Amino acid sequence: MQELKSVYNKEELLNNAVGLLKNLIEIPSFSKDEFNTSVEIENFFKKHQIPTKRFKNNIWAVNKNFDVFKPSVLLNTHHDTVKPNKAYTLDPFVPIEKDGKLYGLGSNDAGASLVSMAQVFLHFYDKEDLKYNLVIALTAEEEISGFDGIEALFPQLPNIEFAIVGEPTQMNLAIAEKGLLVIDGEMKGTPSHAAHPNDDNSIVKCMQDLQNILDFKFPKVSEYLGEVKITLSGIHAGVQHNVVPESCNFTLDVRVTDAYSNKEAFEIIQSQMKSTLTARSFRLNSSKIEMDHPFVKAGIEIGRTTYGSPTSSDQAIIPCTSVKMGPGDSRRSHTADEFIYINEIEEGIDIYIQTLGKVL
């Protein structure tokens, strides 16, 4: 049996990462259908003589010198993807390396983070006398905030004190992240023939109610995340031109800051509206890490910047202190002809190792 190699140079780590990412791109891994990519991840670690554990489509491992009496740092990202954008001009499942870029579905979100974290785990795997254990968890269902991903796996992991969540942040530190609250609403009215007067038109009443909430400003503004953002993302009423409908239905996408819990935000919104509102879930709350956390200080020491992220991730359901950090650019996520720069992967591996080296 091939022995585990204890030292990998930068070129080897980068080649490992790019090779693994190409393999993952070739395997469709839509949310809830990630089994084949989970096997590919298992095979990668098996090749490097690292034992892994499985829970559903989640793969995880601990460092060689794991000590149950030490706290652990978690490396976490996901291997599921959204479905390809309809504007793709390339085959989303064919990895194409061209002009310093690697194209393919999931390359930026979050394949680059996954393969970079895998190399970082190799780098630290057999190190002795670390202050923390190192745990890696490559998980499922992130794109749908599913229940069978990191949320289901977390209780099975060892004592996690701190987590790094791999998402495209250009390797800067997202020290705060907005939560997500999706609200379905209904405004009732009186149905009638369109030819007759009707002062209780559900659509008109709904428009007035929606305009009121879209103009509303939450009183508290977050230092890192700014204002709570409410977006009208769907509306439906009526099926026939000459019938005033009984009800008008709509959906609000609410990005909640660390100034409010999702329940608090919902109660405030309901107090400002006459429509009947129903929250789909309260579980995807905002998160924040303090500026004096050792990992944040370490990142700043090596020249990384900090910011508040408007997008949500599995950070929202990880029940410990966490930071979001990974190679790539969030603006490329879910776009047609998604890509990652090869040098972004190289930078990602290097910065992860540098920053963790100051903490572990």
Side-chain angles (χ1 to χ4, degrees), residues 42-315:
E42 285 179 315
N43 289 339
F44 172 82
F45 286 115
K46 183 178 180 180
K47 175 182 176 183
H48 293 280
Q49 304 303 306
I50 295 176
T52 58
K53 299 181 182 181
R54 165 185 288 275
F55 179 73
K56 299 189 176 183
N57 289 328
N58 308 295
I59 306 301
W60 64 285
V62 301
N63 59 302
K64 182 178 180 180
N65 298 300
F66 180 87
D67 184 342
V68 294
F69 297 106
K70 291 180 180 179
S72 300
V73 172
L74 173 66
L75 300 175
N76 169 245
T77 189
H78 62 98
H79 57 101
D80 64 318
T81 72
V82 296
K83 292 185 177 180
N85 186 302
K86 291 182 179 179
Y88 258 87
T89 64
L90 303 172
D91 188 328
F93 303 112
V94 175
I96 298 173
E97 191 174 343
K98 182 180 179 183
D99 299 328
K101 302 175 184 177
L102 178 58
Y103 292 88
L105 182 65
S107 56
N108 180 76
D109 180 19
S113 292
L114 187 153
V115 299
S116 297
M117 285 183 162
Q119 310 320 307
V120 174
F121 190 75
L122 287 186
H123 174 82
F124 286 106
Y125 177 71
D126 61 356
K127 296 286 190 289
E128 298 180 351
D129 301 321
L130 296 176
K131 289 185 291 184
Y132 292 86
N133 298 311
L134 190 61
V135 180
I136 188 167
L138 306 175
T139 52
E141 297 191 11
E142 189 274 346
E143 294 291 2
I144 58 170
S145 300
F147 291 93
D148 285 335
I150 186 62
E151 186 173 35
L153 176 65
F154 202 90
Q156 301 189 36
L157 299 178
N159 177 29
I160 305 294
E161 183 173 293
F162 169 66
I164 304 166
V165 178
E167 291 284 344
T169 70
Q170 298 178 311
M171 289 308 293
N172 291 312
L173 295 98
I175 57 172
E177 177 186 87
K178 283 188 174 179
L180 174 61
L181 175 63
V182 181
I183 298 174
D184 294 311
E186 181 180 44
M187 174 62 80
K188 290 282 192 178
T190 302
S192 68
H193 194 295
H196 300 296
N198 185 342
D199 294 329
D200 194 38
N201 186 314
S202 63
I203 299 176
V204 175
K205 289 166 63 182
C206 189
M207 289 169 59
Q208 294 168 344
D209 207 27
L210 288 170
Q211 192 59 59
N212 178 59
I213 197 60
L214 294 175
D215 290 338
F216 176 75
K217 298 291 185 183
F218 279 76
K220 290 189 285 187
V221 178
S222 166
E223 178 182 0
Y224 299 111
L225 296 169
E227 297 181 341
V228 174
K229 185 178 185 295
I230 302 176
T231 301
L232 175 64
S233 57
I235 189 164
H236 175 75
V239 294
Q240 197 167 322
H241 77 89
N242 59 353
V243 177
V244 175
E246 177 187 8
S247 63
C248 182
N249 298 276
F250 58 90
T251 299
L252 298 175
D253 178 296
V254 186
R255 303 292 167 151
V256 184
T257 72
D258 57 300
Y260 300 93
S261 71
N262 282 357
K263 285 188 177 180
E264 289 172 333
F266 178 82
E267 290 169 359
I268 292 170
I269 292 169
Q270 181 66 89
S271 73
Q272 300 296 313
M273 299 188 73
K274 297 177 182 178
S275 300
T276 300
L277 306 182
T278 303
R280 295 185 185 178
S281 169
F282 292 112
R283 58 195 274 267
L284 303 178
N285 284 284
S286 177
S287 61
K288 183 179 73 173
I289 186 172
E290 299 301 329
M291 288 290 290
D292 62 355
H293 189 279
F295 186 84
V296 176
K297 291 168 69 175
I300 293 171
E301 282 177 16
I302 64 169
R304 308 323 296 168
T305 60
T306 62
Y307 73 103
S309 173
T311 59
S312 62
S313 72
D314 272 345
Q315 246 189 311

